[in-house]
Amino acid sequence: MRTLLWPALALVPLVAHAEDLPSHFVSADDCHPRECTCADGPMVELFLSDQTAARDAWIAVRVDIMSPGGPATPADAIADFQGRFAGDSRIADQFRSCTGYDPAVNKLTKIAGVSGIGQARLDPCFCDAFCADIVSSTVSHELMHVPTVIAGVVGRGDMLVACKVGILSGAMCDALLPLALADSEIAAHQVGVVVLDNAVDDIHDLDPDGDGPRTRCTWDALTPQTDSAGLDVPDDLGERAWTLWDRIVHGSARQDR
Amino acid sequence: MSGMRRSWVRAGLATVVLGACTGGVSTDDPDDTDAGVPGTEASTWRRAFADVTLLDTSGGVPTSARVPLDTRLPMPEDDREVDTYVVLDGDRVLTLAWVVGDEAWYRIARPVTRVDDVWSWYTDDGSYVLMITDGHLTETAVVNLDGRTVMSQAVFDAVATFPPTGWPSDVIDVVLPAANP
């Protein structure tokens, strides 16, 4: 089981056992966010830019892991990510606006996680403060983690054992677990990005006046405090992230392309 | 939370996450311990050992050694292990995995390329080929990391029963993206 940490509501992973999830967290079925409306457009779009920047930061971390002197442990990789990415403070502000917000209970550093039976659990404050598409993107992100981490570990399993018994050593061994973590983070963030991207399109299609679909919903965009500018992200790695997502969306039906 | 479900479906995530959202943790019959016929495509497999070779790209002599393998591997940034088995399922490879201590285990399906009795896929780091030889599943993996190449030839044994003792009965089904572009 792992939980999601959000310093300033930035997506940062940590692993914890099921018993580490706060007792006030609720299951996704008991999380009842309001439907997103035109008024939520700017925040959904901001969330999208935030998650895109976080994904790109993880792609940059992956490059670092493969570079001399790069992160040698999963904790190092997380620290590298934290050094590259800080969440938008306006998202944190909205989290604090939830009904009954209690800073002693509703922690910005822990808002969602996955239980030992593979179900998402969320801080009800998060469910209250944000509209459904934002919550949905977070749930999708979380549920993506465990299977992708397992797949990454299994794919490198023989090498992990060879490192453990000393047949392989050095930077190659150091990179194995951080890579499994980074790959999982990239996949999870990409899931969230696509959910939010679809949500922005949906909200644009809403009728702001309620008198029929003659007008589209528009808004003045909030300027993101975080973006991918300045990140050392190779173009082809970004494309790979989208390719990965394309495969997730279309699954085996697209494998013969 | 109908809006959330709608988004998941629309994003094409149904096979990945919708099951968990809707309580899709299914309960298999705990008495069903059929692991298939040992040594055939219908078997459930566990890693036994691997011959790992570090290839020296500068022209030196490759270093090789046989490594005994356990079904359990470490999870990154976690103090627990994941217990893993493999099943071939048509043109998919299933990883059956239990993060020790969790109340459910994962059945992770990855679509791969199957040609006759060879299953193959590749990732950013390397390539993988599975085939059944003399009643054993073998996996040849060539992985490139840190400017070096490692070739691993792992041998799997068929297990007599599955799930193993201690595994929970609840299963989470996940379909990963096809590995081959």
Side-chain angles (χ1 to χ4, degrees):
Chain A
M1 210 297 306
R2 64 194 307 290
T3 57
L4 178 72
L5 284 184
W6 276 26
L9 285 192
L11 289 165
V12 177
L14 266 193
V15 178
H17 296 288
E19 58 268 26
D20 293 333
L21 277 179
S23 59
H24 70 283
F25 275 26
V26 297
S27 72
D29 282 344
D30 292 326
C31 172
H32 301 291
R34 56 191 162 74
E35 290 294 315
C36 294
T37 68
C38 195
D40 294 304
M43 180 53 68
V44 174
E45 203 169 57
L46 190 64
F47 222 90
L48 170 60
S49 67
D50 210 57
Q51 293 308 294
T52 302
R55 179 205 64 196
D56 292 348
W58 271 110
I59 293 173
V61 169
R62 196 184 194 285
V63 173
D64 284 351
I65 293 168
M66 300 293 284
S67 304
T73 67
D76 290 346
I78 292 169
D80 189 2
F81 171 78
Q82 289 171 324
R84 289 178 171 278
F85 178 77
D88 195 298
S89 63
R90 289 164 293 184
I91 297 174
D93 290 343
Q94 181 147 328
F95 177 75
R96 295 190 193 96
S97 75
C98 80
T99 305
Y101 171 72
D102 181 350
V105 175
N106 307 118
K107 303 289 189 181
L108 287 167
T109 53
K110 187 179 288 187
I111 60 97
V114 179
S115 72
I117 56 171
Q119 292 182 321
R121 296 188 67 81
L122 305 106
D123 187 333
C125 177
F126 182 66
C127 303
D128 180 78
F130 294 93
C131 68
D133 290 320
I134 289 176
V135 176
S136 173
S137 73
T138 301
V139 170
S140 299
H141 172 112
E142 282 297 289
L143 293 177
M144 197 63 184
H145 268 304
V146 178
T148 51
V149 163
I150 290 171
V153 168
V154 170
R156 301 175 176 98
D158 299 353
M159 295 174 66
L160 283 165
V161 175
C163 290
K164 189 175 180 180
V165 299
I167 294 169
L168 301 177
S169 61
M172 173 181 283
C173 294
D174 293 340
L176 295 175
L177 288 179
L179 279 177
L181 177 64
D183 285 348
S184 174
E185 289 293 344
I186 293 166
H189 278 90
Q190 188 70 2
V191 169
V193 164
V194 172
V195 171
L196 291 166
D197 206 30
N198 288 338
V200 169
D201 288 344
D202 279 352
I203 295 170
H204 272 304
D205 288 338
L206 294 174
D207 172 23
D209 302 323
D211 59 354
R214 290 188 300 273
T215 55
R216 296 189 79 222
C217 177
T218 60
W219 57 83
D220 292 328
L222 297 170
T223 304
Q225 296 169 345
T226 58
D227 58 40
S228 300
L231 288 173
D232 181 20
V233 181
D235 289 342
D236 66 325
L237 274 181
E239 290 170 8
R240 284 182 213 174
W242 280 108
T243 300
L244 173 63
W245 170 247
D246 189 52
R247 294 177 198 156
I248 295 169
V249 170
H250 301 290
S252 57
R254 293 285 293 273
Q255 65 179 315
D256 294 326
R257 283 184 305 158
Chain B
M1 217 161 72
S2 59
M4 293 178 66
R5 290 201 180 102
R6 173 178 55 81
S7 295
W8 282 330
V9 172
R10 185 162 168 248
L13 281 170
T15 54
V16 178
V17 298
L18 192 58
C21 167
T22 56
V25 177
S26 61
T27 303
D28 278 2
D29 180 354
D31 295 328
D32 180 7
T33 56
D34 182 5
V37 179
T40 74
E41 186 179 331
S43 297
T44 298
W45 305 92
R46 56 163 289 162
R47 285 176 167 78
F49 64 88
D51 291 320
V52 180
T53 302
L54 176 61
L55 302 175
D56 186 342
T57 54
S58 64
V61 178
T63 305
S64 185
R66 177 160 294 186
V67 183
L69 299 176
D70 191 359
T71 58
R72 295 194 175 195
L73 295 165
M75 290 282 283
E77 196 59 9
D78 193 328
D79 56 2
R80 293 181 299 163
E81 295 178 311
V82 57
D83 200 19
T84 64
Y85 294 79
V86 172
V87 170
L88 304 173
D89 178 33
D91 57 359
R92 306 189 306 173
V93 175
L94 307 182
T95 298
L96 315 179
W98 176 48
V99 179
V100 176
D102 274 359
E103 299 157 75
W105 55 274
Y106 285 85
R107 182 162 43 211
I108 304 169
R110 180 185 290 281
V112 301
T113 298
R114 177 180 181 178
V115 178
D116 295 329
D117 291 332
V118 177
W119 293 258
S120 66
W121 69 99
Y122 57 87
T123 68
D124 282 346
D125 299 332
S127 62
Y128 302 81
V129 176
L130 286 173
M131 63 178 70
I132 298 173
T133 306
D134 297 332
H136 293 276
L137 181 67
T138 63
E139 180 189 74
T140 301
V142 179
V143 178
N144 301 294
L145 275 179
D146 190 37
R148 292 185 288 179
T149 299
V150 174
M151 185 172 71
S152 171
Q153 292 182 299
V155 175
F156 296 65
D157 292 335
V159 298
T161 59
F162 186 89
T165 302
W167 279 40
S169 57
D170 287 346
V171 185
I172 303 164
D173 278 304
V174 177
V175 179
L176 289 181
N180 301 330

